[in-house]
Amino acid sequence: MPAAPKPPSATPLQRVARFLHLQIPEVWMRFLLAIVGLVLAFAAALFSTVSRESGNLWATLVLASAALILAVIVGLTTVPYLARRVAAARIRDAFDYDVTRVGIVYVLAVLVIGIGALNTGNNLLYIIVAAMISAILVSGIFSALELRDLELDVHLPEHVFAGRATLGRIIVRNPRRWMPSFSVSVVSPKQDTAAKWKWTPTTFGFPPKRSPEQQWFRLPDRQFRQVPQRPPLRIFEGRAYFPYLAAKGELRAELDLRFNRRGRYQQDQFGLATRFPFGFLVKTRRVQLSREIVVYPAVEPTDEFFEILPLITGEFESFVRGRGNDLYRIREAMPEDSARHVDWKATAKSGSLKVREFSREDERKLRIVFDNPSPGAVSSEVYENAVSLAASLGWHFAATDSELTFVTKGDEGSPDIYGFLAYLAVAGPSPGASVVDALQPSSDYNIILTTRPRGSIPTALWACSYFVFIGEKR
């Protein structure tokens, strides 16, 4: 059995509290000890002043040093701890504020009434302005309170294809005992896409205005410049609305997710937003919640797919049928044998019933090879079509009774269709040797997608393969 995990070690303050049988949180223990330390430091400083006035130099030195050391100890043990707690609380409860149209109109009304109160000196107008300003304050306090303790969870499907609608799930929990939440929405926080100044690697050449071949020397250098921020592909861009969330309650909402292109989608933050109670501000609490999903290429049949599928299927069936009809041996008949397999010539010669036994007809071994082209070999549109075609072929033949394997750069033959789709989801043109060169003739029938010229294909592969030449017009 695996060893049980060790409990986290207690801090010295927690050990002291346990020894004294006190149930005091660590933050209060630190606060109390800080007060005691500061009182002792103040007392030492006070007595050092008395010693200095009495002319006792050594007592003054010792007491002043003790006061300084106590103050330093209190600062080192208390201030960083409190700063970390404040920073953690700010990260956990980070809020964004957006003024609504109603809020803008309301603020303008407050300004107009306030100007009127200053001009006329009417006390009633002052009371109205104070009440309107207090309404803004109450709105901010209540909206922060109802968002502060809410818990958020997002469930995503395991397998997602580009272009196909799928469902996700958002769960919002209210752990509070008595306070409900009103008009809460789950949103996607705004992204910072502004360009940022960064040090980027470059090359220093001299003379500077000449071409690299004509420069006298070139040295690695770094340049401080603006780099545009490319936002990552995000999972959730919509809004899920919950009008009422009771105390100790939980609500769920189904999300319609649709991704237009393949790739890896990541999101580190989600938002809980509300306009409650007056709608002056949209207050959004950012929730740190990391989610990632890999979107497979589209497997919807295309014109190219319908064009080559009958050709592939015909050649594959011919390859299997030719192998399956080979005579294996002639043997004695068994009760379960079919009469159509009886070999009458062998039966007449031997005087006993003989049947023909053929090689297995269910050896439908198929291998799909995606020979990833080098950068610049084909256009991005042609490459995306090739990736989608490879995914469609793999998905189609995975539903048949064939023994299917997949070959890519770095993978010599995996039978996992979802592993192949995950590779295609994030694949891009990459340099390296062609996988076609490493293929050897075998009992598998190959479907090979490649950019290799026809003349460079090994002759032995033509008899057991169907080639789809990427970028070649048929």
Side-chain angles (χ1 to χ4, degrees):
M1 293 180 62
K6 296 181 179 180
S9 59
T11 63
L13 295 178
Q14 291 173 338
R15 295 194 189 101
V16 172
R18 291 175 184 175
F19 178 76
L20 297 176
H21 301 285
L22 299 175
Q23 300 295 329
I24 302 177
E26 184 178 1
V27 61
W28 286 106
M29 287 290 295
R30 288 181 178 269
F31 174 74
L32 294 175
L33 289 178
I35 293 297
V36 172
L38 291 176
V39 169
L40 293 177
F42 177 75
L46 184 62
F47 282 110
S48 67
T49 303
V50 175
S51 301
R52 180 174 59 83
E53 293 178 354
S54 62
N56 192 340
L57 180 61
W58 287 105
T60 302
L61 181 61
V62 170
L63 292 172
S65 301
L68 179 61
I69 292 173
L70 286 172
V72 170
I73 291 174
V74 170
L76 293 178
T77 57
T78 305
V79 174
Y81 175 78
L82 296 178
R84 285 195 301 269
R85 286 180 61 89
V86 171
R90 286 183 177 178
I91 293 175
R92 184 180 65 251
D93 299 326
F95 286 93
D96 294 330
Y97 300 89
D98 292 314
V99 182
T100 63
R101 294 181 180 178
V102 175
I104 294 174
V105 173
Y106 187 83
V107 171
L108 292 177
V110 172
L111 292 176
V112 170
I113 297 175
I115 293 172
L118 292 174
N119 290 334
T120 61
N122 192 330
N123 292 333
L124 179 59
L125 294 181
Y126 282 114
I127 295 174
I128 294 174
V129 170
M132 296 179 71
I133 294 176
S134 63
I136 298 176
L137 180 62
V138 170
S139 174
I141 293 174
F142 270 88
S143 59
L145 288 177
E146 77 160 9
L147 293 179
R148 188 172 299 278
D149 295 324
L150 296 184
E151 298 175 357
L152 178 65
D153 197 5
V154 178
H155 294 173
L156 299 174
E158 184 177 2
H159 304 297
V160 181
F161 294 87
R164 284 189 179 183
T166 186
L167 290 178
R169 179 176 296 173
I170 285 182
I171 303 174
V172 180
R173 302 183 185 92
N174 184 4
R176 296 188 291 261
R177 293 183 179 180
W178 59 272
M179 182 177 178
S181 293
F182 301 90
S183 186
V184 177
S185 300
V186 179
V187 297
S188 186
K190 298 179 180 179
Q191 288 182 303
D192 184 13
T193 58
K196 295 184 178 180
W197 288 91
K198 291 185 178 180
W199 287 101
T200 57
T202 184
T203 303
F204 173 76
F206 187 82
K209 295 185 179 181
R210 294 186 180 181
S211 62
E213 296 79 10
Q214 297 178 346
Q215 289 177 336
W216 299 347
F217 61 87
R218 295 172 58 84
L219 299 174
D221 196 5
R222 297 183 68 84
Q223 183 180 8
F224 190 64
R225 62 185 183 89
Q226 278 188 323
V227 178
Q229 299 296 310
R230 183 179 181 181
L233 299 175
R234 308 211 330 170
I235 298 172
F236 176 61
E237 295 290 350
R239 176 183 294 267
Y241 180 69
F242 302 92
Y244 175 75
L245 182 58
K248 291 291 183 179
E250 175 181 298
L251 292 178
R252 304 186 177 196
E254 302 294 336
L255 294 178
D256 291 329
L257 301 176
R258 188 181 183 90
F259 304 95
N260 295 325
R261 54 175 176 165
R262 65 185 179 94
R264 189 184 305 275
Y265 289 73
Q266 296 176 332
Q267 192 161 341
D268 296 329
Q269 285 185 347
F270 292 83
L272 292 169
T274 185
R275 295 188 179 190
F276 180 81
F278 303 125
F280 300 148
L281 297 173
V282 177
K283 183 173 290 186
T284 304
R285 174 189 162 205
R286 285 173 284 159
V287 180
Q288 301 295 324
L289 186 65
S290 297
R291 290 293 182 267
E292 179 179 295
I293 190 171
V294 176
V295 178
Y296 303 143
V299 293
E300 301 297 333
T302 59
D303 294 340
E304 186 179 12
F305 177 81
F306 284 122
E307 179 183 349
I308 68 173
L309 182 60
L311 303 177
I312 294 175
T313 305
E315 292 193 12
F316 179 42
E317 294 295 338
S318 299
F319 178 78
V320 173
R321 185 166 54 250
R323 288 170 43 79
N325 289 338
D326 293 339
L327 181 64
Y328 180 64
R329 63 174 179 172
I330 298 177
R331 58 172 176 81
E332 295 290 336
M334 302 295 290
E336 63 271 14
D337 289 331
S338 175
R340 63 189 181 91
H341 291 156
V342 175
D343 191 322
W344 298 108
K345 291 184 178 180
T347 299
K349 289 181 180 179
S350 63
S352 60
L353 193 62
K354 301 288 185 180
V355 295
R356 295 179 181 180
E357 185 176 355
F358 296 91
S359 60
R360 290 180 57 188
E361 296 184 0
D362 58 348
E363 291 183 350
R364 301 170 58 86
K365 296 182 178 180
L366 181 64
R367 183 167 56 180
I368 297 180
V369 182
F370 183 74
D371 188 16
N372 203 6
S374 300
V378 293
S379 64
S380 59
E381 182 180 358
V382 172
Y383 183 82
E384 292 298 326
N385 292 337
V387 169
S388 180
L389 178 60
S392 301
L393 291 173
W395 187 251
H396 171 78
F397 285 104
T400 64
D401 57 352
S402 303
E403 184 179 341
L404 196 60
T405 55
F406 305 94
V407 178
T408 58
K409 288 184 178 180
D411 191 349
E412 297 180 355
S414 172
D416 184 14
I417 175 62
Y418 291 110
F420 179 62
L421 293 175
Y423 168 81
L424 294 178
V426 297
S430 62
S434 173
V435 297
V436 176
D437 297 331
L439 289 178
Q440 298 296 331
S442 65
S443 60
D444 298 352
Y445 186 77
N446 304 299
I447 301 176
I448 302 176
L449 293 88
T450 182
T451 56
R452 291 278 300 274
R454 294 175 178 267
S456 63
I457 304 296
T459 307
L461 290 178
W462 286 99
C464 59
S465 303
Y466 182 90
F467 287 90
V468 178
F469 293 96
I470 301 174
E472 181 180 285
K473 295 182 179 179
R474 287 182 292 275

